[in-house]
């Protein structure tokens, strides 16, 4: 059986490298690619590139792309547009990346329709929740219960203890208690339809959830690609292999 093809959503940013300065670029931290490859998958990067208003093109192309994949990872990045979950933008919420949001919503819809394995990381977890009708806390430091515990400094991961349900993913693949690397100032408020919480930080914030009615749909608020443990990515590629064998 060939290795499963795992699609990864990407950033759309202005970047600098070598002799090139401030060039529009589609990019992704290489740790995601390494984690997929080490877990036995073949990583395929899928940058946003279509106009947000062209819903028919987004739907058609996302379905075409997903039809050749065996698994999907919605990666981390800037905040999603609060309009996607019916909220007004908070002053500390990032400027909307509408093209990326629209592309990832379309990819997710196509993957869920096929019951394809999905791993949603940080921003990806928040987008998954919003796509299912859930809402977000837009700025955790505004709330005394959370403060800056989940993002103590920009560009620096915070070590956060997460308590996981060992009978549900991702705890089933990791452990009942882990120290995770977090970098988020937003978090889950109301869970979307079909999602069940399966992990919380010590302050009560939801840090993991899954969809029991799907074969493998897992969202985590932390950054597993920054951890040396491969279990979560291995669980995804194993689910993707099963999906490939049945498709």
């Amino acid at each position: 059986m060939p290795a499963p093809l795992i699609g990864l959503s990407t950033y759309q940013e202005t970047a600098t490298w070598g002799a090139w300065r401030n060039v529009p670029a589609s990019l992704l931290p290489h740790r995601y690619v390494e984690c997929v490859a080490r877990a036995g998958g073949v990583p395929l990067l899928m940058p946003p590139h279509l106009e947000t208003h062209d819903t028919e093109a987004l739907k058609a192309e996302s379905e075409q792309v997903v039809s050749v994949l065996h698994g999907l990872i919605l990666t981390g990045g800037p905040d999603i547009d609060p309009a996607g979950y019916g909220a007004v933008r908070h002053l500390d919420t990032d400027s909307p990346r509408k093209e990326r949001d629209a592309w990832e919503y379309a990819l997710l819809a196509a993957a869920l329709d096929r019951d394809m394995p999905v791993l949603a990381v940080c921003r990806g977890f928040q987008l998954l929740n919003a796509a299912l009708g859930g809402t977000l806390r837009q700025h955790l430091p505004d709330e005394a219960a959370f403060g800056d515990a989940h993002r103590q400094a920009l560009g620096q991961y915070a070590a956060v203890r997460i308590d996981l349900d060992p009978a549900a993913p991702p705890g089933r693949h990791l452990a009942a208690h882990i120290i995770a690397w977090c970098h988020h100032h937003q978090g889950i408020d109301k869970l979307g339809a079909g999602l069940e919480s399966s992990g919380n930080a010590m302050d009560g914030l939801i840090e993991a959830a899954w969809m029991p009615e799907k074969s493998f749909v897992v969202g985590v608020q932390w950054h597993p690609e920054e951890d040396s443990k491969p279990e979560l990515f291995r669980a995804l590629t194993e689910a993707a292999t099963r999906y490939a064998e049945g498709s």
Side-chain angles (χ1 to χ4, degrees):
M1 178 71 193
L5 303 179
I6 308 296
L8 299 103
S9 62
T10 75
Y11 294 67
Q12 188 172 349
E13 302 289 344
T14 299
T16 296
W17 68 95
W20 308 105
R21 297 290 183 271
N22 302 320
V23 178
S26 298
L27 52 84
L28 185 71
H30 193 65
R31 285 186 182 273
Y32 285 101
V33 174
E34 291 177 334
C35 287
V36 170
R38 288 173 180 171
V42 176
L44 299 175
L45 304 190
M46 305 179 302
H49 58 284
L50 297 174
E51 296 293 334
T52 58
H53 67 269
D54 197 343
T55 55
E56 290 301 317
L58 280 163
K59 184 174 186 294
E61 189 155 328
S62 62
E63 289 176 348
Q64 180 184 10
V65 169
V66 167
S67 71
V68 302
L69 297 177
H70 306 121
L72 172 66
I73 298 178
L74 297 175
T75 63
D79 302 330
I80 65 173
D81 188 351
Y85 50 93
V88 175
R89 181 174 167 239
H90 187 285
L91 289 175
D92 289 295
T93 294
D94 297 333
S95 297
R97 309 297 178 95
K98 294 181 182 294
E99 291 80 8
R100 181 174 178 184
D101 286 1
W103 178 231
E104 292 183 352
Y105 278 125
L107 289 170
L108 176 62
L112 292 178
D113 187 59
R114 291 171 173 265
D115 195 17
M116 174 181 291
V118 175
L119 174 60
V121 174
C122 198
R123 165 199 158 90
F125 181 23
Q126 295 170 4
L127 186 135
L128 168 66
N129 190 58
L132 297 172
T135 60
L136 301 180
R137 302 174 185 272
Q138 286 195 52
H139 194 55
L140 297 175
D142 283 351
E143 304 182 49
F146 307 116
D148 296 314
H150 300 268
R151 190 183 71 179
Q152 295 168 0
L154 286 172
Q156 181 177 326
Y157 290 99
V160 178
R161 171 176 163 144
I162 312 293
D163 295 327
L164 299 170
D165 179 356
R172 182 185 299 163
H173 313 294
L174 298 171
H177 312 287
I178 65 169
I179 300 298
W181 297 110
C182 291
H183 189 273
H184 61 96
H185 76 111
Q186 299 194 337
I188 303 299
D189 187 9
K190 184 187 78 173
L191 274 173
L195 282 171
E196 290 188 7
S197 174
S198 56
N200 297 80
M202 297 294 288
D203 55 22
L205 189 69
I206 295 173
E207 287 279 343
W210 69 307
M211 296 187 73
E213 294 184 0
K214 296 294 185 180
S215 60
F216 187 98
V217 176
V218 178
V220 296
Q221 189 60 77
W222 70 88
H223 284 267
E225 78 280 5
E226 294 296 327
D227 196 330
S228 60
K229 298 176 183 177
E231 288 87 355
L232 191 51
F233 288 94
R234 185 178 298 139
L236 173 70
T237 56
E238 289 174 352
T241 298
R242 293 191 296 271
Y243 175 85
E245 290 172 343
S247 61

